[in-house]
Amino acid sequence: MSDEQRKVGRRDFIGKAAAAAGLMIIKPQLVRGTAANSSVRVGLLGCGGRGTGVATALSQHPNARYVALGDLFSDQLDKAKQHFDGIAAKKGYAGIDPKLMFKGPKAYQAIAECDQLDAVHIATPDFFHPEHLSAVVAAGKHCYCEKPTGVDVRGAKRIKELGKKAEGRLSLDIGFQIRCAPPYVEMVKRIHAGAIGKIAQASAYYHATTLTYPPRPAGTSPLELRIRNFYWDRVLSGDIIVDQALHVVDICNWVLKDHPLKAIGTGGRKVRDDWGNIWDHFDVIFTYPDNVRVSLNHVQWGTWMWDVAERFFGSKGVSESHYSGIVGIYGEEPWSWDGGGRPISPSANFYALGRKDTAEEAAGTFHGALDEADPEKTKAFVESILTGKYHNQAAQGAESTLSAILGRTAAYTGREVTWDEVLASDQYYDPELEGLDLSSLEQSS
Ligand SMILES: NC(=O)c1ccc[n+]([C@@H]2O[C@H](COP(=O)([O-])OP(=O)(O)OC[C@H]3O[C@@H](n4cnc5c(N)ncnc54)[C@H](O)[C@@H]3O)[C@@H](O)[C@H]2O)c1
């Protein structure tokens, strides 16, 4: 075990008192019925890159509009207002009312309780998801919450409990958008129907480039720096395996219809010289029921390669699925995604080699499974509200987050860790954000 593993391992299972769970009161008048001709009014909490991106996809729905914004910082709010006012102008309705822009550490409560909203879209840093979702569910609003469902065992369990409270009354989606991507949906359907036979083993990888943010001005407080740069902060993001490789762990759970029972792992911060304390690679071997082993390899560094893929090896064939590339099955029942009737970009299989799309490509060209993931996911969320056929993805989201936490714990401690042990641990990551009193930030933005 390295020094790094030992240091984190000690901390990993330390439990500290969590904030008491909030009392939940569903307000039935805010739960939408089946009025298909009225718009779902959404508020965005966390107006950064992902929130704005998903909200742009969601805004394409003719019966949905963003009417409120919440963020810690006014620069983020201002940028988002400009963006959503542009969308509103194109759709022919009014922009964001400044009265519905909530700023500061209590913005999450204000947006949760805002009576002009049917749904809240949470896209804040990972650590905050359980607390923010708790406020939204307590206020009786539908929610699209980004993954992961927290950064520790306590957070993930809390979201699972919130799911039980929302069951049948609210739509609660968690941001695993690949589960809505048509090529993946078709592949998993075929695997579940037996196209590759009995699965013996799988290999999954997430090979990512490093993340970048604009440099922060001199004098930015350490607290603000941590929150603005949360991806690089092990507690606020859960480290790269929980924040990012989680997506492929979720795909493995989906295909194998279960969670891993145990894991061994390793990893470290070997070449990374950017800010923060996250690792740059993880290697984990998960054991699923029936002794199916999944080897996960995760790298987040450099600017040269981005490729995400899974291969499932079965008695009758092998599946191969890339975010940007082939999604198909080799073997007795061969199949591959044909672009869904759209022309396939010649660059689709070669993102890993740094090729970019060519300017001449026709509109509607298929580039990869991610193309339709957000549009399909957000459309399904809006329609679940409009039709009253509510989603509840809390348990599945929590299970995938806990699976990634299992892998992280195995890698941090350098020993075999079981699912039962992780669940029993009450693991809590203390962000030490001055007791979560973020009020000092109100002055700084
Ligand atoms: N599903 C996916 O594929 C995917 C992809 C990228 C990011 N994400 C997730 O989306 C979330 C946001 O990521 P991002 O890339 O947009 O990050 P970002 O840093 O660009 O945006 C986060 C926003 O939240 C605000 N914020 C921070 N703390 C807050 C608080 N306590 N209250 C209110 N606002 C707060 C920040 O000011 C910022 O505007 C993360 O959970 C991330 O894991 C998901």
Side-chain angles (χ1 to χ4, degrees):
M1 191 195 299
S2 68
D3 281 343
E4 192 160 24
Q5 285 174 326
R6 206 171 289 119
K7 233 186 315 176
V8 181
R10 253 201 334 263
R11 178 193 177 101
D12 210 29
F13 281 102
I14 294 174
K16 291 200 183 170
L23 185 68
M24 192 208 57
I25 306 159
I26 303 266
K27 294 183 189 152
Q29 70 273 22
L30 292 177
V31 181
R32 245 187 144 68
T34 56
N37 59 351
S38 66
S39 273
V40 175
R41 301 159 304 167
V42 190
L44 173 61
L45 177 67
C47 303
R50 179 67 185 163
T52 310
V54 171
T56 304
L58 196 151
S59 301
Q60 301 310 310
H61 196 289
N63 295 109
R65 52 197 274 203
Y66 279 76
V67 300
L69 302 172
D71 203 284
L72 268 182
F73 302 111
S74 36
D75 59 314
Q76 295 294 90
L77 282 172
D78 294 344
K79 263 191 289 179
K81 175 167 170 48
Q82 215 179 355
H83 178 77
F84 288 105
D85 285 355
I87 293 178
K90 281 196 196 121
K91 286 179 85 173
Y93 55 77
I96 305 277
D97 179 345
K99 289 204 279 303
L100 299 186
M101 290 172 65
F102 306 103
K103 183 196 144 194
K106 299 282 185 321
Y108 76 100
Q109 286 166 337
I111 204 165
E113 284 158 19
C114 172
D115 63 6
Q116 304 296 306
L117 297 177
D118 304 297
V120 176
H121 168 188
I122 298 173
T124 49
D126 307 349
F127 171 81
F128 296 108
H129 294 170
E131 180 68 16
H132 292 175
L133 182 64
S134 177
V136 174
V137 172
K141 295 203 172 55
H142 306 288
C143 189
Y144 184 110
C145 180
E146 264 307 340
K147 45 50 64 178
T149 59
V151 297
D152 52 22
V153 175
R154 203 180 287 186
K157 282 183 185 169
R158 191 173 174 196
I159 287 198
K160 203 170 168 187
E161 288 307 309
L162 289 169
K164 288 183 194 158
K165 291 177 177 175
E167 184 63 48
R169 303 204 255 180
L170 301 171
S171 240
L172 202 170
D173 273 23
I174 306 288
F176 290 105
Q177 69 276 18
I178 201 72
R179 286 198 186 221
C180 291
Y184 271 71
V185 170
E186 180 62 25
M187 178 192 77
V188 177
K189 193 173 93 190
R190 284 168 184 261
I191 294 175
H192 287 167
I196 62 170
K198 181 177 161 60
I199 297 175
Q201 200 207 24
S203 159
Y205 63 80
Y206 205 122
H207 295 162
T209 52
T210 196
L211 306 164
T212 51
Y213 270 148
R216 307 299 177 201
T220 304
S221 75
L223 175 60
E224 179 171 343
L225 207 53
R226 279 186 70 200
I227 293 178
R228 294 241 193 208
N229 293 351
F230 79 93
Y231 279 120
W232 289 266
D233 185 294
R234 202 182 268 181
V235 175
L236 296 180
S237 69
D239 212 331
I240 61 171
I241 186 171
V242 171
D243 176 74
Q244 188 174 58
L246 166 79
H247 281 291
V248 292
V249 175
D250 177 64
I251 292 164
C252 294
N253 287 6
W254 181 21
V255 169
L256 297 172
K257 296 183 176 171
D258 218 322
H259 59 76
L261 300 178
K262 59 184 182 179
I264 52 171
T266 186
R269 186 179 169 99
K270 205 170 176 60
V271 294
R272 178 156 232 153
D273 57 3
D274 50 3
W275 194 84
N277 56 5
I278 51 170
W279 284 6
D280 51 32
H281 68 286
F282 278 85
D283 283 290
V284 176
I285 298 178
F286 292 105
T287 303
Y288 280 74
D290 203 19
N291 273 329
V292 174
R293 295 209 220 294
V294 173
S295 163
L296 168 71
N297 175 238
H298 184 199
V299 181
Q300 188 194 87
W301 181 244
T303 55
W304 314 286
M305 171 175 278
W306 192 87
D307 189 23
V308 181
E310 311 79 32
R311 288 196 179 96
F312 290 89
F313 300 90
S315 56
K316 287 170 54 183
V318 180
S319 69
E320 176 174 12
S321 43
H322 295 255
Y323 275 12
S324 302
I326 189 167
V327 178
I329 289 174
Y330 312 92
E332 291 179 24
E333 296 182 30
W335 163 83
S336 72
W337 181 252
D338 62 1
R342 297 151 54 195
I344 295 183
S345 162
S347 66
N349 288 336
F350 298 101
Y351 272 3
L353 300 181
R355 281 185 52 175
K356 296 273 182 278
D357 305 336
T358 56
E360 309 85 65
E361 276 177 0
T365 299
F366 175 79
H367 299 97
L370 287 180
D371 278 9
E372 288 161 288
D374 286 335
E376 289 294 331
K377 172 107 187 166
T378 51
K379 187 169 121 204
F381 174 64
V382 172
E383 285 174 6
S384 74
I385 298 169
L386 290 170
T387 59
K389 292 182 184 154
Y390 299 146
H391 294 170
N392 195 320
Q393 299 167 357
Q396 172 235 306
E399 190 159 291
S400 294
T401 301
L402 287 164
S403 305
I405 289 173
L406 168 68
R408 180 186 67 193
T409 309
Y412 277 1
T413 60
R415 62 177 178 80
E416 183 177 277
V417 179
T418 67
W419 174 264
D420 290 345
E421 184 185 353
V422 163
L423 248 73
S425 71
D426 196 32
Q427 179 196 71
Y428 172 61
Y429 273 20
D430 186 347
E432 294 164 11
L433 294 178
E434 299 165 13
L436 274 189
D437 174 12
L438 306 182
S439 50
S440 60
L441 294 175
E442 280 176 304
Q443 313 310 322
S444 63
S445 62

